[in-house]
């Protein structure tokens, strides 16, 4: 059974179908790439999957359960966690506090508990947050405010926060955008390591080298519709895909 | 923004000493100062409670311009229960706070789904509706004649007859409430409030039920505004609907902005500073002018509020020190 499956997923904004009847399946344990030219509907697709937008029609099934139209926090609680395209962090908090928020779901909250505890944050949660920071290579920056981290570290921190929420499926929206070769290489090997630890990955990325090198299965969107899918080799030689990226003239030439 | 880098933060010992000295000074006011100061400071303490209890919502990014409506509910509930049913002060105060919190939930549940200025508009409407109800429901509240004869506060059956004892009650309530609110703000819960205020989609994506947490923060604030109102009712012993109107609500907000929203202390500093300084104008038209000018000056010159003033002054001094030797390059 696939971990994630959409059926005829459609989102219309007025007359424009940003996502149009897309069937998408993600098998457990896979690293799947979602690519396509600008405006192809990739981010809209992510917003639908994570509950930030409601589909106009179609359904989303996660781990056998219909999650269509659920609110974002409920979807996260089921184990489908996303990151954001732009560097979205709690900038005024330390890296550790950012990750602590990722642990929100497993936290014991209650006014009583909070008032009676002597610590600011529960020590076991702090320990787990530090573990996640170590795993992502940010261990040394735990107490630095997020805003003072270099861009590459900020992006990784975004992934660390999502990881703390213990996802079964992690949606990464352009994880290596704006990074140099060295940084993006490190992030992509982190992505592989996350998968090897048991989290399925669906990622959107413009950096083709990163996508082709990491993903085992690729889905190509164009004008909101699924154009092609297959292994990196199949997709990169597909006539339709080349046409979509480079224009009709070149493909026919 | 507060300067919270570890190097700059004063040590815990220093903070403890400052708090101890301030509390000691507060304890010495009744024996050393006159009745005027005792009365004035007890009111300042209620203002501090009101300002601090606005913080949970403010931290979530919700602009509440109707906080005095909840104070009003706490005040009338407690006053009426004590006056007509002889409820002891502890219970009437608690009832006032609980009713204020419940009304907070009823108003907050739909209103907190609105963002920014739309939520603010609902709270403005709310405070005016509460004022009008208090004015019009004459059989219950005596309307514009005012509700008089509210019993003095009592504790464990002993009536607090002197202004000094009531002052100590206000001081105790304020310290207790500040401790609770500070603890909440500096906890996992406060971290969530901050996360909602900074970037609520991100908080949602991490599994935070932002609607529920905004409501909880709002409810906590309403509860303590109700406590402040109940104390006020039994201290002044006369309730007049316009006292709790839009003007009072904006004042509570202005305390927070002028004091500074970046740190818990800001609400306390703002409420103390403004209520003491505005005292000569109390009840006159100049009061509004005073608050408006204070707000304008803050926005223009100290956007982070009074609590950022020491940091700015230190910055100015080091800038002067750095630029002082430069005019002698010829050597």
């Amino acid at each position: 059974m696939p971990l994630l499956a959409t059926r005829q997923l459609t989102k219309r904004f007025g007359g424009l179908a940003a996502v149009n009847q897309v069937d998408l399946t993600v098998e457990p344990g896979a690293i799947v790439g979602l690519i396509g030219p600008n405006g192809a509907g990739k981010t809209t697709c992510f917003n639908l999957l994570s509950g930030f937008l409601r589909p106009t029609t179609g359904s989303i099934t996660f781990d056998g359960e219909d999650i269509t139209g659920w609110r974002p926090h409920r979807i996260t609680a089921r184990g489908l966690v996303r990151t954001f395209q732009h560097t979205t962090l709690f900038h005024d908090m330390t890296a550790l506090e950012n990750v602590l928020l990722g642990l929100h779901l497993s936290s014991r909250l209650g006014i009583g508990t909070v008032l009676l505890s002597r610590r600011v944050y529960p020590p076991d949660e702090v320990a787990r947050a530090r573990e996640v920071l170590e795993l992502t290579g940010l261990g040394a920056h735990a107490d630095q405010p997020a805003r003072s981290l270099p861009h590459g570290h900020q992006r990784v921190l975004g992934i660390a926060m999502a990881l703390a929420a213990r996802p079964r499926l992690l949606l990464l929206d352009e994880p290596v955008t704006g990074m140099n070769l060295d940084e993006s290489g490190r992030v992509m090997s982190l992505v592989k390591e996350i998968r090897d630890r048991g989290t399925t990955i669906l990622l959107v990325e413009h950096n083709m080298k990163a996508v082709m090198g990491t993903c085992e299965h690729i889905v190509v969107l164009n004008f909101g519709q699924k154009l092609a899918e297959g292994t990196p080799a199949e997709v990169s030689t597909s006539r339709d895909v080349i046409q979509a990226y480079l224009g009709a003239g070149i493909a026919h030439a | 923004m507060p300067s919270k880098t570890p190097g700059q933060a004063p040590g815990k010992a220093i903070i403890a000493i400052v708090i101890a000295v301030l509390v000691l000074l507060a304890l010495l006011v009744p024996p050393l100062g006159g009745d005027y100061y005792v009365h004035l400071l007890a009111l300042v303490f209620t203002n501090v409670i009101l300002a601090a209890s606005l913080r949970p919502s403010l931290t979530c990014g919700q602009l509440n311009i109707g906080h005095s409506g909840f104070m009003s509910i706490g005040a009338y509930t407690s006053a009426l229960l004590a006056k007509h049913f002889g409820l002891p002060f502890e219970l009437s105060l608690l009832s006032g706070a609980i009713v204020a919190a419940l009304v907070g939930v009823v108003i907050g549940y739909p209103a907190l789904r609105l963002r920014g200025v739309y939520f603010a508009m609902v709270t403005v409407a709310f405070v005016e509706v509460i004022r009008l109800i208090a004015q019009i429901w004459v059989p219950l509240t005596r309307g514009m004649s005012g509700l008089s004869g509210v019993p003095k506060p009592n504790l464990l059956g002993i009536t607090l007859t002197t202004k000094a004892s009531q002052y100590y009650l206000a001081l105790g309530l304020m310290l207790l409430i500040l401790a609770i609110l500070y603890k909440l703000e500096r906890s996992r819960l406060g971290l969530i409030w901050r996360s909602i205020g900074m970037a609520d989609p991100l908080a949602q994506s991490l599994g935070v039920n932002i609607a529920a947490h905004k409501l909880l923060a709002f409810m906590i604030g309403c509860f303590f505004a109700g406590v402040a109102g109940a104390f006020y009712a039994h201290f002044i012993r006369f309730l007049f609907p316009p006292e709790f109107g839009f003007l009072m609500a904006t004042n509570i907000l202005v305390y927070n902005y002028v004091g500074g929203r970046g740190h818990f202390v800001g609400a306390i500093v703002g409420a103390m500073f403004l209520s003491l300084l505005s005292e000569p104008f109390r009840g006159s038209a100049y009061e509004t002018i005073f608050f408006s000018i204070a707000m304008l000056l803050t926005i223009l010159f100290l956007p982070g509020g009074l609590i950022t003033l020491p940091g700015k002054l230190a910055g100015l001094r080091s800038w002067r020190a750095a630029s002082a030797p430069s005019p002698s390059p010829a050597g």
Side-chain angles (χ1 to χ4, degrees):
Chain A
M1 189 180 66
L3 185 60
L4 178 81
T6 68
R7 276 184 63 85
Q8 301 289 300
L9 191 65
T10 302
K11 178 68 189 179
R12 291 181 180 280
F13 296 109
L16 175 84
V19 172
N20 198 358
Q21 305 195 325
V22 171
D23 289 332
L24 181 74
T25 52
V26 176
E27 296 296 331
I31 300 183
V32 177
L34 186 61
I35 64 170
N38 282 324
K42 305 179 298 284
T43 295
T44 305
C45 205
F46 263 32
N47 284 334
L48 291 170
L49 294 176
S50 54
F52 282 88
L53 288 174
R54 269 166 193 272
T56 314
T57 56
S59 69
I60 305 165
T61 312
F62 179 65
D63 203 14
E65 192 169 19
D66 188 351
I67 59 165
T68 318
W70 283 22
R71 294 188 152 267
H73 66 90
R74 272 187 79 197
I75 293 177
T76 301
R78 275 290 186 276
L80 199 169
V81 186
R82 71 170 296 176
T83 66
F84 289 85
Q85 186 171 16
H86 303 289
T87 311
T88 310
L89 295 171
F90 304 114
H91 285 102
D92 290 340
M93 298 182 190
T94 65
L96 185 76
E97 285 174 323
N98 271 275
V99 177
L100 274 172
L101 276 162
L103 292 168
H104 172 76
L105 285 166
S106 51
S107 177
R108 306 168 310 278
L109 272 173
I111 298 181
T113 346
V114 162
L115 284 179
L116 291 177
S117 96
R118 289 187 58 237
R119 309 285 187 112
V120 177
Y121 306 124
D124 55 322
E125 288 181 23
V126 173
R128 270 175 56 203
R130 284 192 189 280
E131 255 172 56
V132 175
L133 284 170
E134 288 297 336
L135 173 74
T136 49
L138 294 174
H141 306 283
D143 298 317
Q144 250 173 281
R147 68 162 72 256
S148 72
L149 296 174
H151 175 78
H153 286 356
Q154 289 190 353
R155 305 285 310 179
V156 174
L157 182 56
I159 298 176
M161 292 158 71
L163 264 189
R166 300 220 162 143
R168 282 182 294 157
L169 175 61
L170 182 59
L171 306 185
L172 298 171
D173 201 349
E174 302 197 2
V176 300
T177 298
M179 288 187 180
N180 62 36
L181 205 62
D182 189 38
E183 288 171 324
S184 74
R186 248 180 287 144
V187 171
M188 290 326 274
S189 60
L190 174 66
V191 168
K192 279 183 186 157
E193 192 182 337
I194 292 168
R195 191 275 306 271
D196 294 342
R197 284 166 176 255
T199 300
T200 308
I201 310 257
L202 175 63
L203 62 87
V204 162
E205 184 52 65
H206 279 295
N207 181 333
M208 280 306 142
K209 190 169 180 295
V211 172
M212 296 297 170
T214 314
C215 300
E216 293 132 5
H217 188 83
I218 290 173
V219 177
V220 187
L221 288 185
N222 193 27
F223 296 115
Q225 282 176 313
K226 191 160 80 176
L227 187 68
E229 68 178 311
T231 63
E234 287 164 5
V235 164
S236 56
T237 51
S238 155
R239 191 180 178 81
D240 286 342
V241 174
I242 296 169
Q243 201 170 326
Y245 269 90
L246 301 175
I250 292 174
H252 285 296
Chain B
M1 286 297 113
S3 48
K4 258 175 59 180
T5 43
Q8 278 177 303
K12 273 192 177 170
I14 298 174
I15 294 172
I17 291 170
V18 169
I19 292 175
V21 168
L22 285 177
V23 171
L24 199 68
L25 282 177
L27 287 173
L28 288 175
V29 169
L32 298 180
D35 263 2
Y36 169 74
Y37 289 103
V38 169
H39 183 86
L40 170 64
L41 282 174
L43 288 179
V44 172
F45 295 159
T46 46
N47 285 343
V48 170
I49 298 175
L50 288 166
S53 64
L54 194 67
R55 276 191 67 82
S57 250
L58 271 185
T59 311
C60 289
Q62 300 286 340
L63 199 62
N64 175 357
I65 325 184
H67 211 44
S68 59
F70 298 101
M71 178 194 185
S72 174
I73 290 171
Y76 274 98
T77 306
S78 183
L80 290 169
L81 284 176
K83 191 181 169 188
H84 296 307
F85 300 100
L87 221 62
F89 174 71
E90 298 92 332
L91 287 181
S92 68
L93 175 123
L94 196 63
S95 313
I98 290 172
V99 173
L102 289 178
V103 174
V105 171
V106 172
I107 298 294
Y109 186 75
L112 286 165
R113 284 159 205 280
L114 304 170
R115 274 161 205 274
V117 72
Y118 299 102
F119 173 77
M121 281 159 66
V122 170
T123 60
V124 170
F126 167 75
V127 72
E128 283 304 281
V129 166
I130 292 295
R131 179 180 63 82
L132 285 171
I133 291 175
Q135 276 178 221
I136 293 164
W137 199 349
V138 176
L140 186 73
T141 65
R142 302 263 181 85
M144 290 299 273
S145 319
L147 184 69
S148 56
V150 181
K152 287 181 178 174
N154 53 63
L155 277 182
L156 305 168
I158 303 158
T159 306
L160 304 177
T161 46
T162 62
K163 278 281 167 196
S165 59
Q166 294 167 10
Y167 166 94
Y168 286 124
L169 173 67
L171 181 65
L173 278 176
M174 176 187 75
L175 291 176
L176 177 68
I177 292 173
L178 288 181
I180 293 174
L181 286 171
Y182 181 71
K183 181 74 189 162
L184 288 177
E185 185 168 315
R186 292 261 305 160
S187 74
R188 204 76 178 64
L189 212 53
L191 192 67
I192 289 166
W193 297 342
R194 276 159 67 201
S195 79
I196 296 171
M198 281 182 204
D200 70 25
L202 181 58
Q204 267 181 298
S205 82
L206 296 174
V208 176
N209 184 345
I210 57 167
H213 275 287
K214 277 182 188 172
L215 191 61
L216 179 65
F218 189 65
M219 196 187 80
I220 291 171
C222 295
F223 182 88
F224 290 121
V227 173
F231 170 79
Y232 179 90
H234 296 266
F235 179 69
I236 300 292
R237 307 182 59 207
F238 178 75
L239 297 180
F240 187 56
E243 292 269 329
F244 308 105
F246 177 64
L247 201 62
M248 179 70 197
T250 47
N251 285 357
I252 299 171
L253 198 64
V254 172
Y255 294 151
N256 274 283
Y257 275 78
V258 170
R261 286 168 307 142
H263 192 274
F264 188 76
V265 174
I268 305 171
V269 171
M272 294 238 176
F273 180 79
L274 286 179
S275 12
L276 287 175
L277 232 64
S278 69
E279 175 57 18
F281 318 116
R282 227 163 87 82
S284 74
Y286 295 108
E287 189 182 357
T288 322
I289 297 175
F290 174 83
F291 273 86
S292 314
I293 292 175
M295 187 72 187
L296 273 177
L297 289 177
T298 306
I299 291 170
L300 287 175
F301 301 111
L302 268 181
L306 286 170
I307 51 168
T308 57
L309 192 61
K312 288 228 168 177
L313 291 178
L316 198 66
R317 215 174 301 129
S318 66
W319 174 75
R320 278 208 183 130
S323 57
S326 61
S328 53

